[in-house]
Amino acid sequence: MPKEKLTLSEKSILRELIFPEPFSHIQDETGLSYGAIRDDLIKLINHGYIEVFDSETLLSVSPFYDSDNIQQFSFKATKTGLKSIQSHAI
């Protein structure tokens, strides 16, 4: 169930996730607050734009991840997620 339009913060997050990246990388690169990143990640995961990985093994844990400890995971944009920002490339 893809979203129709992404927010600027969601686009910023997706641009960082071409490869699996930890939560800290997203925070460093986007400059967004913990809460804003957490909320956007959960929305993007629920809409199929991002896949969740175990940070140590880089094995997919989607959809079984602990949203209360989201900072312990890594994230990567899905094919759908990358297509959604393709037209926004600079």
Side-chain angles (χ1 to χ4, degrees):
M1 85 180 151
K3 289 179 64 166
E4 288 192 24
K5 189 168 181 169
L6 297 172
T7 65
L8 290 175
S9 61
E10 290 169 340
K11 290 176 194 173
S12 295
I13 290 171
L14 279 171
R15 283 190 200 107
E16 296 301 322
L17 300 178
I18 294 171
F19 301 104
E21 298 289 356
F23 188 94
S24 59
H25 171 85
I26 299 167
Q27 207 167 22
D28 291 343
E29 293 298 319
T30 63
L32 297 169
S33 70
Y34 173 90
I37 295 170
R38 181 185 180 277
D39 291 348
D40 284 348
L41 283 174
I42 290 171
K43 286 182 218 168
L44 292 167
I45 293 163
N46 289 340
H47 286 92
Y49 288 109
I50 292 178
E51 188 171 2
V52 184
F53 294 86
D54 179 282
S55 286
E56 292 180 16
T57 63
L58 289 183
L59 294 175
S60 178
V61 295
S62 292
F64 306 105
Y65 67 97
D66 181 0
S67 62
D68 290 333
N69 294 301
I70 202 162
Q71 72 281 0
Q72 296 177 352
F73 297 95
S74 291
F75 309 89
K76 181 180 181 286
T78 62
K79 183 177 180 180
T80 303
L82 292 174
K83 281 185 176 183
S84 72
I85 60 169
Q86 185 175 3
S87 62
H88 303 288
I90 297 174

